């Protein structure tokens, strides 16, 4: 009942001072729009790429570099592994699942003469990739360990490539020509593009955006002469003999379901490194085992400019709130006589405080609606940028609700000081000066 009365008074007051009202709503909307634009982007880029599964995924590192030629002068472990180490760890089967991954640029030749050959990022990996990362299949399935050991020429493709080459039909059993060699399609993935593309970090793939389109068994790909996009070495290395060279070019992930499995695997990894030191392959027994989210955080996957823009936007929002406070205070001072009359007629200080907070809340809701338009415009501008993450810049339902929550909270914070100033007005001086 009283809320309706305060709402009516607030609407009358806002209509009576249209210029001030427009300035307050505009100031708040600009701040909210800028803050929500950058916050939406930061949330998208720093999100969990595999919710519900990421807690079981660990990135594995060892250090084959000599002491006098370290991988990093900041004491970081090498990002990737040699083929020998990656295969030793995968074939040891000490994790629930384990995969080795590398990226390669592949030439795809459509079977129809109407389409020209084109290049695409491809993934060279081991058999448990799809089950470990929960990549869903639309048709068929992945390859087996036997296919991998037998260097079978099989391939799994993404839905986007299936739509492009086969008009979305079930293409399992058909042929895809990769680097001038025929591969039998055994599976088609449903749309799958974890953001960021955590599994291809440092392998030469994209960090964000559309998913990879071609997945080939690691040993089949190498037997066919496919090379990794990225490889590093501390000495001259023959790229045609990556299986025996000191080059690091494979990322290794392990699925460890609980703390006991993590502890057991860490012990296994440490023992493996010590064994390699004893064999003379390693000079150091340093190892790394990082959870997925910790790995992404350590590697600072979110671009620094996005974090900086988010900080600047919230600083701008703070300035807008301060300006709104000033405008609400000016409005309050102009209404001192009105407040004095209301106090003389029996309105209590809490009632005056509540009236002004309702007015501030209305300004916040109007600012939130206008700020939503500004945020959509800001995200539209980001989608026009040539950044990998540009296509991800969309406002979802949770951020839509957050926009209004933030606008309401900002307006209420801005309204506290003017409301307190209004309820402190004493009626007698105002009535004498009226």
């Amino acid at each position: 009942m009283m809320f309706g009365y305060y709402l009516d008074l607030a609407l009358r007051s806002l209509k009576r001072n249209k210029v001030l009202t427009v300035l307050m709503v505009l100031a708040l909307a600009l701040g909210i729009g800028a803050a929500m634009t950058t916050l939406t982007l930061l949330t998208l880029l720093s999100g969990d790429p595999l919710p519900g599964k990421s807690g079981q995924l660990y990135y594995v590192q060892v250090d084959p570099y000599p002491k006098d030629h370290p991988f990093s002068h900041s004491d970081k472990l090498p990002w990737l592994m040699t083929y020998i180490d990656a295969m030793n760890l995968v074939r040891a089967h000490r994790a629930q699942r384990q995969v080795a991954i590398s990226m390669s640029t592949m030439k795809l030749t459509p079977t129809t003469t109407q389409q020209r050959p084109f290049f695409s990022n491809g993934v060279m990996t081991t058999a448990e990739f799809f089950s470990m990362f929960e990549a869903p299949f639309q048709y068929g399935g992945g390859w087996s360990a036997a296919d991998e050991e037998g260097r079978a020429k099989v391939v799994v493709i993404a839905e986007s490539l299936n739509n492009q080459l086969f008009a979305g039909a079930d293409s399992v059993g058909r042929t895809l020509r990769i680097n001038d060699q025929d591969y039998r399609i055994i599976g088609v993935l449903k749309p799958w593009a974890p953001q960021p593309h955590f599994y291809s970090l440092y392998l030469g793939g994209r960090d964000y955006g559309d998913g990879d389109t071609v997945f080939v068994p690691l040993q089949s790909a190498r037997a066919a002469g496919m090379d990794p996009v990225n490889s590093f070495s501390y000495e001259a290395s023959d790229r045609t003999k990556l299986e025996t060279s000191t080059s690091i070019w494979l990322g290794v992930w392990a699925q460890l379901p609980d703390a006991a499995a993590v502890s057991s695997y860490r012990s296994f990894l440490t023992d493996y490194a010590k064994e390699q030191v004893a064999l003379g392959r390693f000079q150091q027994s340093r190892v790394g085992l990082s959870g997925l989210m910790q790995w992404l955080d350590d590697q600072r996957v979110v671009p620094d400019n996005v974090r900086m823009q988010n900080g600047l936007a919230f600083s701008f929002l703070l300035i807008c709130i301060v300006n709104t406070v000033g405008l609400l205070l000016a409005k309050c001072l102009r209404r001192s006589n009105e407040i004095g009359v209301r106090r003389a007629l029996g309105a209590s200080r809490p009632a005056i405080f509540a009236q002004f907070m309702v007015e501030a809340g209305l300004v916040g809701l109007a600012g939130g609606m206008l700020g939503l338009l500004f945020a959509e415009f800001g995200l539209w501008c980001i989608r026009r940028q040539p950044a990998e993450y540009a296509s991800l810049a969309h406002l979802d339902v949770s951020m839509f609700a957050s926009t209004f929550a933030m606008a309401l909270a900002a307006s209420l914070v801005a309204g506290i000081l003017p409301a307190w100033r209004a309820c402190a007005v004493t009626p007698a001086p105002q009535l004498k000066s009226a």
Side-chain angles (χ1 to χ4, degrees):
M1 184 67 180
M2 290 304 294
F3 179 77
Y5 176 62
Y6 297 149
L7 190 61
D8 182 60
L9 289 178
L11 287 171
R12 288 171 185 268
S13 172
L14 293 174
K15 289 178 181 175
R16 193 162 53 242
N17 300 282
K18 292 180 181 174
V19 175
L20 274 178
T21 301
V22 169
L23 287 175
M24 288 188 293
V25 170
L26 192 59
L28 208 55
L30 285 171
I32 294 294
M36 290 310 299
T37 299
T38 57
L39 182 62
T40 298
L41 194 59
L42 183 63
T43 303
L44 288 169
L45 299 187
S46 59
D48 186 342
L50 288 180
K53 186 66 179 288
S54 59
Q56 299 182 26
L57 301 180
Y58 290 81
Y59 193 70
V60 185
Q61 294 170 278
V62 295
D63 188 1
Y65 275 59
K67 290 181 180 178
D68 60 353
H69 200 302
F71 174 76
S72 165
H73 292 292
S74 58
D75 213 29
K76 290 182 178 177
L77 287 164
W79 302 314
L80 307 177
M81 279 194 200
T82 64
Y83 180 86
I84 295 172
D85 293 319
M87 289 300 105
N88 283 344
L89 295 176
V90 170
R91 288 167 177 163
H93 299 294
R94 297 300 293 268
Q96 186 178 34
R97 292 189 180 96
Q98 200 161 356
V99 296
I101 309 166
S102 188
M103 304 292 295
S104 182
T105 301
M106 303 177 185
K107 185 179 81 170
L108 308 181
T109 305
T111 53
T112 59
T113 56
Q114 290 80 13
Q115 294 176 292
R116 294 183 176 180
F118 59 93
F119 288 89
S120 177
N121 274 344
V123 180
M124 303 186 292
T125 186
T126 48
E128 293 185 321
F129 178 93
F130 305 102
S131 56
M132 184 166 165
F133 296 146
E134 297 185 343
F137 279 88
Q138 184 170 4
Y139 304 115
W143 57 83
S144 65
D147 289 333
E148 192 177 323
E149 292 297 329
R151 293 168 172 72
K153 289 192 174 181
V154 294
V155 62
V156 170
I157 64 175
E159 184 208 37
S160 58
L161 185 61
N162 190 55
N163 291 339
Q164 180 180 350
L165 300 182
F166 305 105
D170 183 354
S171 58
V172 171
R174 301 182 70 170
T175 300
L176 177 63
R177 197 162 182 77
I178 305 174
N179 293 354
D180 299 324
Q181 298 191 36
D182 289 337
Y183 286 76
R184 180 170 53 88
I185 298 172
I186 60 170
V188 178
L189 291 180
K190 291 181 179 177
W192 185 71
Q195 306 294 342
H197 298 175
F198 63 94
Y199 59 82
S200 63
L201 204 61
Y202 297 120
L203 295 175
R206 292 175 300 176
D207 292 342
Y208 294 96
D210 295 337
D212 296 303
T213 55
V214 183
F215 302 82
V216 181
L218 176 61
Q219 296 191 56
S220 305
R222 286 295 301 150
M226 296 183 194
D227 289 326
V229 175
N230 278 350
S231 64
F232 308 88
S233 181
Y234 57 86
E235 62 180 17
S237 183
D238 187 349
R239 286 178 64 86
T240 62
K241 299 177 181 176
L242 288 175
E243 283 73 12
T244 56
S245 74
T246 56
S247 292
I248 55 172
W249 54 284
L250 286 160
V252 175
W253 289 87
Q255 181 177 341
L256 305 168
D258 51 41
V262 174
S263 177
S264 173
Y265 192 87
R266 194 184 299 279
S267 298
F268 157 70
L269 194 60
T270 301
D271 292 342
Y272 174 80
K274 290 178 179 176
E275 183 182 69
Q276 299 308 306
V277 171
L279 291 172
R281 287 192 62 239
F282 290 3
Q283 294 183 9
Q284 305 173 82
S285 58
R286 300 192 308 149
V287 300
L289 188 64
S290 307
L292 169 55
M293 297 309 292
Q294 182 63 48
W295 168 249
L296 295 178
D297 190 48
D298 291 345
Q299 306 312 312
R300 301 184 66 80
V301 173
V302 178
D304 287 339
N305 65 325
V306 173
R307 294 183 188 277
M308 183 182 70
Q309 289 167 8
N310 192 55
L312 290 174
F314 272 85
S315 299
F316 178 64
L317 175 60
L318 181 61
I319 293 172
C320 292
I321 291 174
V322 171
N323 283 332
T324 305
V325 170
L327 293 170
L328 283 170
L329 268 176
K331 198 159 178 262
C332 170
L333 292 174
R334 291 177 59 180
R335 296 169 61 189
S336 295
N337 291 340
E338 174 194 331
I339 298 168
V341 171
R342 285 206 64 211
R343 288 293 315 281
L345 293 175
S348 64
R349 287 183 174 178
I352 298 295
F353 186 87
Q355 176 191 336
F356 273 76
M357 291 304 289
V358 169
E359 190 170 325
L362 282 179
V363 171
L365 287 177
M369 286 189 281
L370 188 57
L372 189 62
L373 295 178
F374 287 148
E376 287 286 10
F377 176 72
L379 293 172
W380 179 82
C381 291
I382 290 174
R383 289 196 291 274
R384 264 75 191 154
Q385 294 181 0
E388 286 184 347
Y389 54 77
S391 62
L392 303 176
H394 291 278
L395 203 65
D396 60 17
V397 175
S398 62
M399 297 309 292
F400 182 88
S402 298
T403 301
F404 283 98
M406 183 183 291
L408 191 60
S411 64
L412 292 178
V413 168
I416 289 176
L417 181 59
W420 175 82
R421 178 68 181 83
C423 69
V425 170
T426 52
Q430 303 303 327
L431 293 175
K432 287 178 183 177
S433 62

